[in-house]
mmCIF file of all heavy atoms in Angstrom:
data_model
loop_
_atom_site.group_PDB
_atom_site.id
_atom_site.type_symbol
_atom_site.label_atom_id
_atom_site.label_comp_id
_atom_site.label_asym_id
_atom_site.label_seq_id
_atom_site.Cartn_x
_atom_site.Cartn_y
_atom_site.Cartn_z
ATOM 1 N N VAL P 1 50.548 215.617 281.532
ATOM 2 C CA VAL P 1 50.110 214.969 280.280
ATOM 3 C C VAL P 1 49.708 216.008 279.234
ATOM 4 O O VAL P 1 50.062 215.863 278.058
ATOM 5 C CB VAL P 1 48.963 213.994 280.566
ATOM 6 C CG1 VAL P 1 48.257 213.568 279.279
ATOM 7 C CG2 VAL P 1 49.463 212.758 281.327
ATOM 8 N N SER P 2 49.033 217.086 279.672
ATOM 9 C CA SER P 2 48.683 218.129 278.710
ATOM 10 C C SER P 2 49.917 218.827 278.145
ATOM 11 O O SER P 2 49.973 219.168 276.956
ATOM 12 C CB SER P 2 47.701 219.103 279.287
ATOM 13 O OG SER P 2 48.303 219.924 280.263
ATOM 14 N N GLY P 3 50.936 218.996 278.987
ATOM 15 C CA GLY P 3 52.179 219.587 278.516
ATOM 16 C C GLY P 3 52.894 218.688 277.520
ATOM 17 O O GLY P 3 53.426 219.138 276.497
ATOM 18 N N VAL P 4 52.889 217.391 277.790
ATOM 19 C CA VAL P 4 53.496 216.428 276.858
ATOM 20 C C VAL P 4 52.715 216.390 275.543
ATOM 21 O O VAL P 4 53.302 216.344 274.456
ATOM 22 C CB VAL P 4 53.581 215.014 277.517
ATOM 23 C CG1 VAL P 4 53.945 213.963 276.500
ATOM 24 C CG2 VAL P 4 54.573 215.023 278.667
ATOM 25 N N ALA P 5 51.367 216.432 275.647
ATOM 26 C CA ALA P 5 50.557 216.435 274.417
ATOM 27 C C ALA P 5 50.834 217.689 273.588
ATOM 28 O O ALA P 5 50.894 217.631 272.361
ATOM 29 C CB ALA P 5 49.080 216.375 274.801
ATOM 30 N N ALA P 6 51.059 218.822 274.263
ATOM 31 C CA ALA P 6 51.416 220.045 273.549
ATOM 32 C C ALA P 6 52.744 219.893 272.828
ATOM 33 O O ALA P 6 52.894 220.311 271.686
ATOM 34 C CB ALA P 6 51.462 221.229 274.515
ATOM 35 N N ALA P 7 53.710 219.286 273.511
ATOM 36 C CA ALA P 7 55.026 219.025 272.892
ATOM 37 C C ALA P 7 54.878 218.099 271.670
ATOM 38 O O ALA P 7 55.531 218.319 270.647
ATOM 39 C CB ALA P 7 55.974 218.437 273.898
ATOM 40 N N LEU P 8 54.006 217.104 271.805
ATOM 41 C CA LEU P 8 53.788 216.188 270.661
ATOM 42 C C LEU P 8 53.124 216.918 269.506
ATOM 43 O O LEU P 8 53.435 216.624 268.324
ATOM 44 C CB LEU P 8 52.928 215.016 271.108
ATOM 45 C CG LEU P 8 53.604 214.023 272.057
ATOM 46 C CD1 LEU P 8 52.610 212.973 272.543
ATOM 47 C CD2 LEU P 8 54.820 213.359 271.416
ATOM 48 N N CYS P 9 52.271 217.884 269.796
ATOM 49 C CA CYS P 9 51.688 218.693 268.736
ATOM 50 C C CYS P 9 52.750 219.518 268.012
ATOM 51 O O CYS P 9 52.704 219.687 266.793
ATOM 52 C CB CYS P 9 50.599 219.616 269.313
ATOM 53 S SG CYS P 9 49.084 218.771 269.760
ATOM 54 N N LEU P 10 53.712 220.024 268.769
ATOM 55 C CA LEU P 10 54.838 220.761 268.128
ATOM 56 C C LEU P 10 55.666 219.863 267.237
ATOM 57 O O LEU P 10 56.089 220.266 266.151
ATOM 58 C CB LEU P 10 55.686 221.428 269.186
ATOM 59 C CG LEU P 10 55.029 222.560 269.973
ATOM 60 C CD1 LEU P 10 55.974 223.063 271.078
ATOM 61 C CD2 LEU P 10 54.648 223.700 269.053
ATOM 62 N N ILE P 11 55.851 218.625 267.686
ATOM 63 C CA ILE P 11 56.590 217.653 266.841
ATOM 64 C C ILE P 11 55.772 217.351 265.601
ATOM 65 O O ILE P 11 56.321 217.219 264.494
ATOM 66 C CB ILE P 11 56.905 216.372 267.642
ATOM 67 C CG1 ILE P 11 57.934 216.710 268.749
ATOM 68 C CG2 ILE P 11 57.406 215.268 266.740
ATOM 69 C CD1 ILE P 11 58.150 215.601 269.751
ATOM 70 N N ALA P 12 54.452 217.261 265.730
ATOM 71 C CA ALA P 12 53.583 217.041 264.578
ATOM 72 C C ALA P 12 53.687 218.188 263.580
ATOM 73 O O ALA P 12 53.704 217.975 262.366
ATOM 74 C CB ALA P 12 52.114 216.843 265.046
ATOM 75 N N ILE P 13 53.769 219.409 264.111
ATOM 76 C CA ILE P 13 53.926 220.579 263.206
ATOM 77 C C ILE P 13 55.231 220.466 262.413
ATOM 78 O O ILE P 13 55.249 220.659 261.201
ATOM 79 C CB ILE P 13 53.895 221.900 264.004
ATOM 80 C CG1 ILE P 13 52.529 222.125 264.612
ATOM 81 C CG2 ILE P 13 54.299 223.075 263.117
ATOM 82 C CD1 ILE P 13 52.490 223.246 265.641
ATOM 83 N N LEU P 14 56.315 220.133 263.120
ATOM 84 C CA LEU P 14 57.612 219.969 262.429
ATOM 85 C C LEU P 14 57.522 218.872 261.387
ATOM 86 O O LEU P 14 57.959 219.062 260.248
ATOM 87 C CB LEU P 14 58.691 219.632 263.460
ATOM 88 C CG LEU P 14 60.053 219.248 262.869
ATOM 89 C CD1 LEU P 14 60.680 220.446 262.195
ATOM 90 C CD2 LEU P 14 60.949 218.689 263.936
ATOM 91 N N THR P 15 56.927 217.746 261.724
ATOM 92 C CA THR P 15 56.769 216.645 260.797
ATOM 93 C C THR P 15 55.965 217.033 259.569
ATOM 94 O O THR P 15 56.320 216.728 258.428
ATOM 95 C CB THR P 15 56.127 215.438 261.493
ATOM 96 O OG1 THR P 15 56.904 215.103 262.646
ATOM 97 C CG2 THR P 15 56.020 214.235 260.583
ATOM 98 N N LEU P 16 54.857 217.733 259.797
ATOM 99 C CA LEU P 16 54.025 218.163 258.687
ATOM 100 C C LEU P 16 54.772 219.140 257.757
ATOM 101 O O LEU P 16 54.676 219.033 256.516
ATOM 102 C CB LEU P 16 52.753 218.836 259.206
ATOM 103 C CG LEU P 16 51.712 217.899 259.766
ATOM 104 C CD1 LEU P 16 50.676 218.664 260.581
ATOM 105 C CD2 LEU P 16 51.046 217.117 258.627
ATOM 106 N N ILE P 17 55.525 220.038 258.333
ATOM 107 C CA ILE P 17 56.277 220.986 257.507
ATOM 108 C C ILE P 17 57.343 220.276 256.687
ATOM 109 O O ILE P 17 57.512 220.531 255.498
ATOM 110 C CB ILE P 17 56.904 222.092 258.389
ATOM 111 C CG1 ILE P 17 55.792 222.996 258.947
ATOM 112 C CG2 ILE P 17 57.923 222.922 257.621
ATOM 113 C CD1 ILE P 17 56.257 223.963 260.006
ATOM 114 N N VAL P 18 58.053 219.340 257.338
ATOM 115 C CA VAL P 18 59.084 218.596 256.598
ATOM 116 C C VAL P 18 58.446 217.735 255.501
ATOM 117 O O VAL P 18 58.962 217.710 254.365
ATOM 118 C CB VAL P 18 59.916 217.715 257.573
ATOM 119 C CG1 VAL P 18 60.784 216.732 256.824
ATOM 120 C CG2 VAL P 18 60.744 218.580 258.490
ATOM 121 N N LEU P 19 57.331 217.096 255.784
ATOM 122 C CA LEU P 19 56.644 216.305 254.741
ATOM 123 C C LEU P 19 56.155 217.157 253.598
ATOM 124 O O LEU P 19 56.239 216.759 252.435
ATOM 125 C CB LEU P 19 55.494 215.515 255.365
ATOM 126 C CG LEU P 19 55.863 214.341 256.273
ATOM 127 C CD1 LEU P 19 54.630 213.733 256.918
ATOM 128 C CD2 LEU P 19 56.664 213.299 255.499
ATOM 129 N N GLN P 20 55.674 218.345 253.915
ATOM 130 C CA GLN P 20 55.232 219.255 252.859
ATOM 131 C C GLN P 20 56.404 219.710 252.026
ATOM 132 O O GLN P 20 56.298 219.809 250.788
ATOM 133 C CB GLN P 20 54.486 220.448 253.471
ATOM 134 C CG GLN P 20 53.864 221.323 252.399
ATOM 135 C CD GLN P 20 53.106 222.498 252.985
ATOM 136 O OE1 GLN P 20 53.330 222.881 254.117
ATOM 137 N NE2 GLN P 20 52.223 223.056 252.189
ATOM 138 N N MET P 21 57.542 219.972 252.631
ATOM 139 C CA MET P 21 58.729 220.336 251.872
ATOM 140 C C MET P 21 59.174 219.206 250.972
ATOM 141 O O MET P 21 59.483 219.425 249.798
ATOM 142 C CB MET P 21 59.867 220.715 252.844
ATOM 143 C CG MET P 21 59.660 222.040 253.540
ATOM 144 S SD MET P 21 60.846 222.376 254.870
ATOM 145 C CE MET P 21 62.400 221.970 254.138
ATOM 146 N N LEU P 22 59.198 217.995 251.495
ATOM 147 C CA LEU P 22 59.572 216.827 250.682
ATOM 148 C C LEU P 22 58.619 216.640 249.523
ATOM 149 O O LEU P 22 59.021 216.298 248.416
ATOM 150 C CB LEU P 22 59.658 215.579 251.561
ATOM 151 C CG LEU P 22 60.786 215.533 252.596
ATOM 152 C CD1 LEU P 22 60.647 214.311 253.495
ATOM 153 C CD2 LEU P 22 62.135 215.502 251.883
ATOM 154 N N ALA P 23 57.329 216.826 249.805
ATOM 155 C CA ALA P 23 56.345 216.681 248.726
ATOM 156 C C ALA P 23 56.570 217.699 247.625
ATOM 157 O O ALA P 23 56.511 217.387 246.431
ATOM 158 C CB ALA P 23 54.938 216.816 249.309
ATOM 159 N N ARG P 24 56.870 218.923 247.991
ATOM 160 C CA ARG P 24 57.131 219.950 246.986
ATOM 161 C C ARG P 24 58.371 219.639 246.179
ATOM 162 O O ARG P 24 58.415 219.844 244.956
ATOM 163 C CB ARG P 24 57.276 221.311 247.639
ATOM 164 C CG ARG P 24 55.973 221.918 248.058
ATOM 165 C CD ARG P 24 56.151 223.308 248.595
ATOM 166 N NE ARG P 24 54.894 223.830 249.083
ATOM 167 C CZ ARG P 24 54.779 224.942 249.749
ATOM 168 N NH1 ARG P 24 55.866 225.649 250.056
ATOM 169 N NH2 ARG P 24 53.613 225.351 250.166
ATOM 170 N N TRP P 25 59.434 219.173 246.854
ATOM 171 C CA TRP P 25 60.679 218.864 246.149
ATOM 172 C C TRP P 25 60.492 217.708 245.180
ATOM 173 O O TRP P 25 61.197 217.642 244.182
ATOM 174 C CB TRP P 25 61.771 218.522 247.136
ATOM 175 C CG TRP P 25 62.263 219.701 247.944
ATOM 176 C CD1 TRP P 25 62.090 221.014 247.679
ATOM 177 C CD2 TRP P 25 62.934 219.638 249.195
ATOM 178 N NE1 TRP P 25 62.618 221.795 248.660
ATOM 179 C CE2 TRP P 25 63.169 220.965 249.604
ATOM 180 C CE3 TRP P 25 63.386 218.612 249.988
ATOM 181 C CZ2 TRP P 25 63.835 221.281 250.772
ATOM 182 C CZ3 TRP P 25 64.053 218.937 251.162
ATOM 183 C CH2 TRP P 25 64.248 220.267 251.539
ATOM 184 N N THR P 26 59.606 216.778 245.485
ATOM 185 C CA THR P 26 59.406 215.623 244.603
ATOM 186 C C THR P 26 58.268 215.855 243.623
ATOM 187 O O THR P 26 57.937 214.965 242.832
ATOM 188 C CB THR P 26 59.125 214.360 245.433
ATOM 189 O OG1 THR P 26 57.935 214.577 246.210
ATOM 190 C CG2 THR P 26 60.288 214.009 246.330
ATOM 191 N N GLY P 27 57.627 217.023 243.644
ATOM 192 C CA GLY P 27 56.549 217.295 242.726
ATOM 193 C C GLY P 27 55.218 216.726 243.137
ATOM 194 O O GLY P 27 54.259 216.715 242.343
ATOM 195 N N GLU P 28 55.119 216.216 244.334
ATOM 196 C CA GLU P 28 53.853 215.655 244.840
ATOM 197 C C GLU P 28 53.057 216.747 245.543
ATOM 198 O O GLU P 28 53.564 217.829 245.810
ATOM 199 C CB GLU P 28 54.132 214.522 245.823
ATOM 200 C CG GLU P 28 54.845 213.332 245.234
ATOM 201 C CD GLU P 28 54.025 212.638 244.163
ATOM 202 O OE1 GLU P 28 52.792 212.514 244.354
ATOM 203 O OE2 GLU P 28 54.596 212.201 243.138
ATOM 204 N N VAL P 29 51.820 216.421 245.837
ATOM 205 C CA VAL P 29 50.936 217.361 246.554
ATOM 206 C C VAL P 29 50.529 216.714 247.884
ATOM 207 O O VAL P 29 50.177 215.557 247.930
ATOM 208 C CB VAL P 29 49.676 217.662 245.717
ATOM 209 C CG1 VAL P 29 48.721 218.566 246.471
ATOM 210 C CG2 VAL P 29 50.054 218.277 244.378
ATOM 211 N N PHE P 30 50.659 217.497 248.920
ATOM 212 C CA PHE P 30 50.225 217.060 250.257
ATOM 213 C C PHE P 30 49.052 217.952 250.657
ATOM 214 O O PHE P 30 49.231 218.968 251.302
ATOM 215 C CB PHE P 30 51.378 217.159 251.271
ATOM 216 C CG PHE P 30 51.093 216.637 252.635
ATOM 217 C CD1 PHE P 30 49.850 216.065 252.965
ATOM 218 C CD2 PHE P 30 52.033 216.701 253.614
ATOM 219 C CE1 PHE P 30 49.579 215.584 254.234
ATOM 220 C CE2 PHE P 30 51.783 216.210 254.891
ATOM 221 C CZ PHE P 30 50.535 215.664 255.191
ATOM 222 N N PRO P 31 47.844 217.608 250.245
ATOM 223 C CA PRO P 31 46.705 218.488 250.479
ATOM 224 C C PRO P 31 46.396 218.602 251.982
ATOM 225 O O PRO P 31 46.388 217.602 252.708
ATOM 226 C CB PRO P 31 45.542 217.828 249.751
ATOM 227 C CG PRO P 31 45.936 216.413 249.566
ATOM 228 C CD PRO P 31 47.470 216.380 249.554
ATOM 229 N N GLY P 32 46.188 219.824 252.398
ATOM 230 C CA GLY P 32 45.785 220.083 253.768
ATOM 231 C C GLY P 32 46.898 220.186 254.781
ATOM 232 O O GLY P 32 46.620 220.400 255.966
ATOM 233 N N ALA P 33 48.153 220.067 254.359
ATOM 234 C CA ALA P 33 49.253 220.152 255.329
ATOM 235 C C ALA P 33 49.273 221.462 256.106
ATOM 236 O O ALA P 33 49.434 221.447 257.318
ATOM 237 C CB ALA P 33 50.593 219.912 254.631
ATOM 238 N N PRO P 34 49.079 222.620 255.454
ATOM 239 C CA PRO P 34 49.061 223.867 256.236
ATOM 240 C C PRO P 34 47.898 223.904 257.243
ATOM 241 O O PRO P 34 48.040 224.399 258.357
ATOM 242 C CB PRO P 34 48.906 224.954 255.190
ATOM 243 C CG PRO P 34 49.326 224.354 253.919
ATOM 244 C CD PRO P 34 49.021 222.900 254.019
ATOM 245 N N GLU P 35 46.752 223.352 256.838
ATOM 246 C CA GLU P 35 45.609 223.334 257.758
ATOM 247 C C GLU P 35 45.894 222.434 258.949
ATOM 248 O O GLU P 35 45.608 222.796 260.099
ATOM 249 C CB GLU P 35 44.348 222.853 257.036
ATOM 250 C CG GLU P 35 43.750 223.863 256.067
ATOM 251 C CD GLU P 35 44.417 223.829 254.684
ATOM 252 O OE1 GLU P 35 45.292 222.995 254.441
ATOM 253 O OE2 GLU P 35 44.029 224.669 253.847
ATOM 254 N N TYR P 36 46.455 221.257 258.690
ATOM 255 C CA TYR P 36 46.784 220.355 259.796
ATOM 256 C C TYR P 36 47.809 220.963 260.742
ATOM 257 O O TYR P 36 47.725 220.806 261.951
ATOM 258 C CB TYR P 36 47.282 219.004 259.284
ATOM 259 C CG TYR P 36 46.242 218.191 258.538
ATOM 260 C CD1 TYR P 36 46.532 217.617 257.339
ATOM 261 C CD2 TYR P 36 44.970 218.022 259.076
ATOM 262 C CE1 TYR P 36 45.595 216.878 256.644
ATOM 263 C CE2 TYR P 36 44.016 217.277 258.395
ATOM 264 C CZ TYR P 36 44.322 216.709 257.165
ATOM 265 O OH TYR P 36 43.394 215.979 256.509
ATOM 266 N N ALA P 37 48.790 221.672 260.182
ATOM 267 C CA ALA P 37 49.787 222.352 260.996
ATOM 268 C C ALA P 37 49.126 223.442 261.851
ATOM 269 O O ALA P 37 49.465 223.618 263.013
ATOM 270 C CB ALA P 37 50.884 222.926 260.141
ATOM 271 N N GLY P 38 48.159 224.139 261.271
ATOM 272 C CA GLY P 38 47.416 225.141 262.009
ATOM 273 C C GLY P 38 46.602 224.530 263.151
ATOM 274 O O GLY P 38 46.554 225.064 264.264
ATOM 275 N N TYR P 39 45.971 223.389 262.885
ATOM 276 C CA TYR P 39 45.218 222.710 263.934
ATOM 277 C C TYR P 39 46.142 222.278 265.069
ATOM 278 O O TYR P 39 45.835 222.402 266.248
ATOM 279 C CB TYR P 39 44.510 221.461 263.388
ATOM 280 C CG TYR P 39 43.539 221.711 262.257
ATOM 281 C CD1 TYR P 39 43.323 220.740 261.280
ATOM 282 C CD2 TYR P 39 42.809 222.893 262.169
ATOM 283 C CE1 TYR P 39 42.422 220.944 260.253
ATOM 284 C CE2 TYR P 39 41.933 223.120 261.117
ATOM 285 C CZ TYR P 39 41.751 222.125 260.165
ATOM 286 O OH TYR P 39 40.881 222.337 259.131
ATOM 287 N N ALA P 40 47.316 221.763 264.657
ATOM 288 C CA ALA P 40 48.288 221.310 265.696
ATOM 289 C C ALA P 40 48.826 222.490 266.482
ATOM 290 O O ALA P 40 49.091 222.367 267.698
ATOM 291 C CB ALA P 40 49.427 220.543 265.015
ATOM 292 N N MET P 41 48.982 223.662 265.859
ATOM 293 C CA MET P 41 49.454 224.850 266.562
ATOM 294 C C MET P 41 48.413 225.291 267.595
ATOM 295 O O MET P 41 48.752 225.645 268.737
ATOM 296 C CB MET P 41 49.764 225.965 265.591
ATOM 297 C CG MET P 41 50.216 227.258 266.270
ATOM 298 S SD MET P 41 51.651 227.037 267.325
ATOM 299 C CE MET P 41 52.938 227.142 266.158
ATOM 300 N N ALA P 42 47.164 225.326 267.194
ATOM 301 C CA ALA P 42 46.084 225.695 268.146
ATOM 302 C C ALA P 42 46.029 224.692 269.286
ATOM 303 O O ALA P 42 45.919 225.095 270.463
ATOM 304 C CB ALA P 42 44.745 225.775 267.428
ATOM 305 N N ALA P 43 46.139 223.425 268.979
ATOM 306 C CA ALA P 43 46.095 222.390 270.044
ATOM 307 C C ALA P 43 47.287 222.540 270.981
ATOM 308 O O ALA P 43 47.141 222.447 272.190
ATOM 309 C CB ALA P 43 46.066 221.014 269.400
ATOM 310 N N ALA P 44 48.479 222.762 270.389
ATOM 311 C CA ALA P 44 49.685 222.919 271.211
ATOM 312 C C ALA P 44 49.543 224.107 272.139
ATOM 313 O O ALA P 44 49.896 224.023 273.340
ATOM 314 C CB ALA P 44 50.915 223.089 270.326
ATOM 315 N N SER P 45 49.021 225.190 271.647
ATOM 316 C CA SER P 45 48.845 226.396 272.489
ATOM 317 C C SER P 45 47.932 226.118 273.657
ATOM 318 O O SER P 45 48.279 226.360 274.820
ATOM 319 C CB SER P 45 48.299 227.546 271.659
ATOM 320 O OG SER P 45 49.189 227.877 270.630
#
């Protein structure tokens, strides 16, 4: 279960990065996306 949770954190990182890219392309702001990705990276590790 901890391995699966780590994999889900990696998917969350990918999702956050893609959402942040989409936000930038559309001129929107996604506050905290890098921080959330960092939290997910620490959790995944």
Side-chain angles (χ1 to χ4, degrees):
V1 166
S2 70
V4 169
L8 292 174
C9 287
L10 292 175
I11 293 170
I13 293 168
L14 172 68
T15 304
L16 285 165
I17 290 170
V18 169
L19 289 175
Q20 187 178 21
M21 288 170 47
L22 291 173
R24 283 185 184 170
W25 291 341
T26 61
E28 297 295 322
V29 177
F30 185 1
E35 287 85 2
Y36 293 132
Y39 302 148
M41 178 56 83
S45 299

